[in-house]
Amino acid sequence: MNGQGNTEGIVIAIDGPSGSGKSSTSKGAAKARELRYLDTGAMYRAMTWWMLEHGVDVDDAEAVTALVERPEIVMGTDPEAPTVRVDGRDVATEIRSKDVTANVSAVSAVPAVRERMVRVQREIIAAARAESTGIVVEGRDITTVVAPEAPVKLFLTASAEARAQRRSKEIRDTDVAATQADLVRRDELDSSRAHSPLKQTADATELDTTGLTLDEVVALIVKLADEVRQR
Ligand code: DC
């Protein structure tokens, strides 16, 4: 295959805090090389949405653990139109609500939730590899726990200001300062939790996206993937 075609069975693992540009750049790289795309944050958000919908106290880890296998969460991995369905319902909009965003760190800190999500994520990765399609997977523990053997591992960063600006645009929130405060709070929770915290490892390539455009970051990811494929 040449640089224009498919990157056979490759796994590209991307971690980083909210607003570091993971979602748009991961999707862009997947489109550019016809790979599958998995947004693992959407899976934790889907689980959180279901718990809230069923009146579960998300700060009660035992209550969350007792129900962890109940929701059926199905991810569509086409980067042109990724989908997330819970018990057959399309929850793409619901999982971006303020309520879900405020509670997702608590739910994603529960070990039983992580065990189930990691199991499903590995199944999705294995299916994409079996089809020889390859996949871009983004989240907080992809390079460390879900796919540490991935041949391309990236840790995206950006200044807190740049991340808040991007998130505010995404959620059409004009209050950038409040968004920044929420991001900092969530990063702190996601990085300090006992189970699979967001952590940068020495073998992941760090990419500071603060001064880069979306296309520039996508080009860098694609270049790394093509280099691995040509080895
Ligand atoms: O990427 P995001 O903001 O949509 O992720 C939502 C939350 O899910 C985030 O606060 C941390 C959690 N998460 C996680 O713990 N592990 C992942 N692999 C992905 C997301």
Side-chain angles (χ1 to χ4, degrees), residues 40-41 44-45 104 108 114 139-141 167 186 190 193:
T40 63
Y44 288 95
R45 287 174 178 274
V104 66
S108 56
R114 305 206 68 80
R140 304 292 192 291
D141 61 343
R167 261 291 141 105
R186 217 142 54 85
D190 296 339
R193 68 177 174 228

Side-chain angles (χ1 to χ4, degrees), residues 80-141:
E80 299 286 350
T83 55
V84 46
R85 303 185 81 82
V86 179
D87 297 340
R89 172 170 165 182
D90 176 352
V91 292
T93 308
E94 289 84 342
I95 63 167
R96 307 286 162 198
S97 71
K98 280 204 169 132
D99 208 17
V100 168
T101 301
N103 289 291
V104 66
S105 288
V107 172
S108 56
V110 176
V113 169
R114 305 206 68 80
E115 276 152 31
R116 180 171 179 213
M117 295 294 98
V118 170
R119 196 172 71 226
V120 175
Q121 288 155 13
R122 288 187 178 146
E123 284 167 9
I124 294 170
I125 293 170
R129 297 202 67 196
E131 286 173 358
S132 307
T133 345
I135 187 163
V136 184
V137 188
E138 53 119 334
R140 304 292 192 291
D141 61 343

Side-chain angles (χ1 to χ4, degrees), residues 54-229:
H54 287 79
V56 179
D57 173 2
V58 297
D59 293 314
D60 180 347
E62 268 181 40
V64 171
T65 300
L67 294 170
V68 77
E69 297 292 337
R70 286 274 296 277
E72 186 200 34
I73 300 175
V74 178
M75 304 301 292
T77 57
D78 177 353
E80 299 286 350
T83 55
V84 46
R85 303 185 81 82
V86 179
D87 297 340
R89 172 170 165 182
D90 176 352
V91 292
T93 308
E94 289 84 342
I95 63 167
R96 307 286 162 198
S97 71
K98 280 204 169 132
D99 208 17
V100 168
T101 301
N103 289 291
V104 66
S105 288
V107 172
S108 56
V110 176
V113 169
R114 305 206 68 80
E115 276 152 31
R116 180 171 179 213
M117 295 294 98
V118 170
R119 196 172 71 226
V120 175
Q121 288 155 13
R122 288 187 178 146
E123 284 167 9
I124 294 170
I125 293 170
R129 297 202 67 196
E131 286 173 358
S132 307
T133 345
I135 187 163
V136 184
V137 188
E138 53 119 334
R140 304 292 192 291
D141 61 343
I142 313 306
T143 62
T144 53
V145 175
V146 177
E149 74 296 341
V152 178
K153 298 205 274 181
L154 284 158
F155 193 91
L156 263 51
T157 59
S159 70
E161 293 76 18
R163 297 194 289 114
Q165 293 277 1
R166 288 174 189 163
R167 261 291 141 105
S168 293
K169 262 191 212 155
E170 249 171 55
I171 57 181
R172 294 196 192 86
D173 188 345
T174 46
D175 191 351
V176 182
T179 305
Q180 185 168 334
D182 181 59
L183 281 185
V184 169
R185 178 192 70 86
R186 217 142 54 85
D187 290 348
E188 174 58 29
L189 288 172
D190 296 339
S191 306
S192 62
R193 68 177 174 228
H195 202 308
S196 309
L198 171 67
K199 195 170 63 186
Q200 184 170 2
T201 55
D203 60 349
T205 305
E206 181 176 345
L207 200 53
D208 184 345
T209 68
T210 307
L212 299 176
T213 65
L214 168 63
D215 288 348
E216 285 168 339
V217 181
V218 169
L220 283 166
I221 299 172
V222 166
K223 184 165 167 269
L224 285 171
D226 289 349
E227 278 168 9
V228 162
R229 197 180 38 168

